Amino acid sequence: MVSDNIKLTPQNAPHRALYHALGLTEEEIARPLVGIVSSYNEIVPGHMNIDKIVDAVKLGVAMAGGTPIVFPAIAVCDGIAMGHVGMKYSLVTRDLIADSTEAMALAHGFDALVMVPNCDKNVPGLLMAAARLNLPTVFVSGGPMLAGHVDGCKTSFSSISEAVGEFNAGKITEEKLKEYELKTCPSCGSCSGMYTANSMNCLTEVLGMGLRGNGTIPAVYSARIELAKHAGMAVMDMVKKDIRPRDIMTEGAFKNALTVDMALGCSTNSMLHLPAIAHECGIEIDLDIANSISGKTPNLCHLAPAGRTYVEDLDEAGGVYAIMHELNKKGLLNTDCMTVTGKTVGENIANTPNLDPQVIRPIENPYSETGGIAVLKGNLAPEGSVVKRSAVLPEMLVHEGPARVFECEEDAQAAINAGKINPGDVVVIRYEGPKGGPGMREMLNPTSAIMGMGLGSSVALITDGRFSGATRGACIGHVSPEAASGGPIGIVQEGDIISIDIPGNKLELKIDEQEYQRRMAAFEPKTKPLSGYLKRYAALVSSGAKGAVLN
């Protein structure tokens, strides 16, 4: 065991003295030391219950013969950070989380880890750390929020965001907006639709790093506590069998994750996080693979914001394993991949039928024959861009319109709120990429305003930033290279015609080649005065097309 290096010999007496200072008995010191990485805090609704999850994990580890020791990880609430400078600090925390967890685990000689994340960057950050450390590791999330209810219909965070647009357009009263405010988020947990947090918690199951139910059992269900105890027991079994993250997170596992991503209709942010996690495993994922997998993977789910079902409904329908069971009917998964259960994917999903074909479409009757995410390329995005195809209205899958150009999110939001965006327009928001933002802010406020004001069937939005998983509509993000790196999005002028062809995977600026080359030769990217962590991040971060990993 790793910890034997710091606790066995007479020379380790000083280390043991400090263990005793923690109140550990000799019996506890002799057992495997299991770090419980707790993302608990009192500002993120998805994390306010994690103290209970951590207590259950500790009990599971102890029951299975280990010594659980808790240390913290930070987490940002993207909803609270949305629409102001705080959103610059969302994506950047992914690397802080990975780095700090690596530091704590190696500094203290842990033998194994249980990661307890929940929200957007917290999950991939800890998966990145698990890949780096390659210690036996199990994930158990805090769980999804229950859906809200307004006027007899279920609601989620995207509902309140779009309600603001409806209020600004005079479609609902302030009293109705207040009702949405009070009823949309009724419990702790990660927001109830297939947004980034729930996407990544579900994909953690697919990767094999979490037990069944990790992504779908609601935060407030007692089954979540039981799951946490089993996670603690499972990591001790991994220690005995010497099963490690890189034995699990193989190239086949990442292809499985991309396949379920397409079937489930996950957040476009998965196209940032899966490549970054794979990179830590020594595996490089090219965005082009997303289209090849999407081309043969049917879309089986339309969870909010794409539809009217929620993660709690997915759980009742059989959860992630039921989706995998459907996909395996056509041999779309690598079933030999190892998982934290000590069994293969094929063994795990063998008896997990789809219990509700209204929530998970049978593979013979999908929403579409192709997956929920598309990567678009063209002269406006030579390295690629990403759209949640399953959440785009049919009439917007192919669109041409004049560019309305904005240098930041705030300027675009002001124009939308003032009614200055017209049907047919293509809103362009630039200098919001990983380097230019910096931090690649999510654009939920402008996209929600467009939908709420009734423009979702006629207005598109493209950006070198990214979108919340709560975004729906013809919203194309991750445009790469970004403006700050000299990308073509930086040369778009007001009124230029932009062509979007989602089925054809194309994003084009409709100017002649000579003019295109003239503008590119003359283009000098704008810079921003930066300080502190954002300055260091901007200097090191790579393209969104490469997962925005730090070089």
Side-chain angles (χ1 to χ4, degrees):
M1 293 188 296
V2 175
S3 63
D4 288 350
N5 295 324
I6 57 175
K7 67 185 186 184
L8 287 186
T9 71
Q11 303 306 313
N12 297 133
H15 301 95
R16 292 194 296 273
L18 293 170
Y19 287 140
H20 286 299
L22 292 170
L24 296 181
T25 66
E26 291 188 2
E27 292 83 358
E28 288 174 303
I29 295 169
R31 295 171 182 167
L33 302 183
V34 181
I36 315 299
V37 186
S38 171
S39 305
Y40 169 76
N41 64 48
E42 294 183 340
I43 188 60
V44 183
H47 290 240
M48 62 182 286
N49 66 317
I50 279 179
D51 56 339
K52 307 297 188 298
I53 305 298
V54 166
D55 286 344
V57 171
K58 289 173 66 178
L59 187 56
V61 168
M63 286 191 295
T67 298
I69 303 174
V70 179
F71 66 87
I74 64 169
V76 164
C77 176
D78 277 24
I80 294 175
M82 195 74 65
H84 59 98
V85 68
M87 182 46 70
K88 294 179 185 288
Y89 287 90
S90 172
L91 179 60
V92 304
T93 64
R94 187 184 70 181
D95 294 276
L96 282 176
I97 291 162
D99 293 348
S100 59
T101 302
E102 173 192 355
M104 286 294 288
L106 292 180
H108 300 103
F110 287 108
D111 299 301
L113 299 167
V114 179
M115 308 292 196
V116 191
N118 211 24
C119 288
D120 294 30
K121 311 310 162 304
N122 189 239
V123 183
L126 290 178
L127 282 165
M128 290 163 67
R132 281 186 207 171
L133 292 162
N134 205 33
L135 297 168
T137 302
V138 173
F139 277 67
V140 56
S141 76
M145 184 183 290
L146 294 176
H149 292 84
V150 175
D151 297 332
C153 297
K154 287 185 176 181
T155 60
S156 61
F157 188 69
S158 54
S159 305
I160 179 62
S161 299
E162 291 181 17
V164 173
E166 293 181 49
F167 171 74
N168 289 338
K171 294 183 176 182
I172 62 172
T173 65
E174 189 171 355
E175 289 74 19
K176 177 58 71 173
L177 180 62
K178 186 68 174 180
E179 183 181 358
Y180 273 100
E181 177 185 330
L182 295 176
K183 294 182 178 180
T184 291
C185 299
S187 75
C188 63
S190 48
C191 295
S192 56
M194 190 44 63
Y195 309 146
T196 305
N198 292 327
S199 295
M200 293 310 302
N201 283 322
C202 287
L203 295 181
T204 297
E205 275 189 65
V206 183
L207 283 170
M209 291 298 294
L211 300 176
R212 184 181 183 184
N214 177 72
T216 59
I217 298 172
V220 296
Y221 283 15
S222 297
R224 175 66 51 183
I225 301 296
E226 294 180 39
L227 181 72
K229 292 175 184 174
H230 283 127
M233 297 178 205
V235 81
M236 293 305 300
D237 190 52
M238 291 179 72
V239 170
K240 292 172 188 172
K241 295 176 178 176
D242 195 28
I243 299 173
R244 297 171 182 264
R246 291 186 206 168
D247 300 325
I248 295 169
M249 290 192 285
T250 61
E251 184 175 351
F254 283 103
K255 287 181 177 178
N256 284 346
L258 285 166
T259 299
V260 175
D261 190 339
M262 299 304 169
L264 189 51
C266 290
S267 164
T268 52
N269 283 314
S270 63
M271 293 294 102
L272 276 178
H273 300 321
L274 288 175
I277 300 161
H279 179 75
E280 296 290 351
C281 295
I283 299 166
E284 298 305 318
I285 293 179
D286 189 315
L287 280 185
D288 288 338
I289 196 177
N291 281 342
S292 65
I293 289 175
S294 180
K296 61 184 179 183
T297 305
N299 179 228
L300 305 181
C301 296
H302 270 189
L303 278 74
R308 297 183 179 276
T309 52
Y310 297 79
V311 180
E312 63 192 56
D313 302 314
L314 178 60
D315 188 62
E316 293 291 332
V320 173
Y321 279 19
I323 296 170
M324 296 175 76
H325 186 85
E326 287 290 342
L327 293 169
N328 200 42
K329 290 178 181 178
K330 290 193 174 181
L332 295 176
L333 297 176
N334 297 282
T335 56
D336 294 333
C337 295
M338 179 52 61
T339 72
V340 293
T341 65
K343 298 178 181 179
T344 65
V345 166
E347 291 173 307
N348 285 344
I349 67 173
N351 298 299
T352 56
N354 177 4
L355 302 178
D356 190 342
Q358 301 302 312
V359 177
I360 304 170
R361 287 274 188 97
I363 200 162
E364 300 82 10
N365 181 35
Y367 283 102
S368 68
E369 293 293 341
T370 53
I373 290 177
V375 174
L376 313 184
K377 287 189 174 182
N379 69 355
L380 193 49
E383 292 180 358
S385 60
V386 181
V387 62
K388 189 171 183 174
R389 174 166 46 192
S390 60
V392 178
L393 293 170
E395 57 266 39
M396 288 300 292
L397 289 171
V398 177
H399 178 76
E400 279 195 7
R404 304 296 307 280
V405 182
F406 302 94
E407 307 299 303
C408 65
E409 178 191 359
E410 288 83 356
D411 291 350
Q413 185 71 44
I416 296 166
N417 291 345
K420 294 180 179 179
I421 302 302
N422 304 309
D425 286 349
V426 178
V427 176
V428 177
I429 306 177
R430 60 195 181 195
Y431 292 102
E432 291 287 8
K435 185 181 297 291
M440 205 177 186
R441 288 196 289 179
E442 291 183 343
M443 303 289 159
L444 178 60
N445 286 354
T447 58
S448 296
I450 287 169
M451 297 302 295
M453 296 176 81
L455 295 170
S457 62
S458 61
V459 170
L461 190 153
I462 71 170
T463 180
D464 52 9
R466 59 195 177 92
F467 296 114
S468 164
T471 289
R472 63 189 179 103
C475 303
I476 300 162
H478 307 200
V479 172
S480 301
E482 62 178 291
S485 294
I489 191 173
I491 67 168
V492 179
Q493 296 179 4
E494 188 82 4
D496 283 346
I497 299 300
I498 291 176
S499 173
I500 299 166
D501 181 359
I502 295 173
N505 305 118
K506 290 287 187 182
L507 181 62
E508 295 280 343
L509 177 62
K510 304 289 281 189
I511 59 176
D512 65 59
E513 182 63 20
Q514 187 174 3
E515 173 64 8
Y516 181 91
Q517 294 298 337
R518 185 193 67 78
R519 290 190 196 179
M520 288 297 294
F523 178 42
E524 293 185 10
K526 297 177 181 179
T527 59
K528 299 175 181 177
L530 299 172
S531 61
Y533 180 54
L534 290 182
K535 183 176 182 179
R536 297 196 299 276
Y537 183 87
L540 296 173
V541 71
S542 70
S543 165
K546 298 183 182 299
V549 298
L550 299 187
N551 293 316

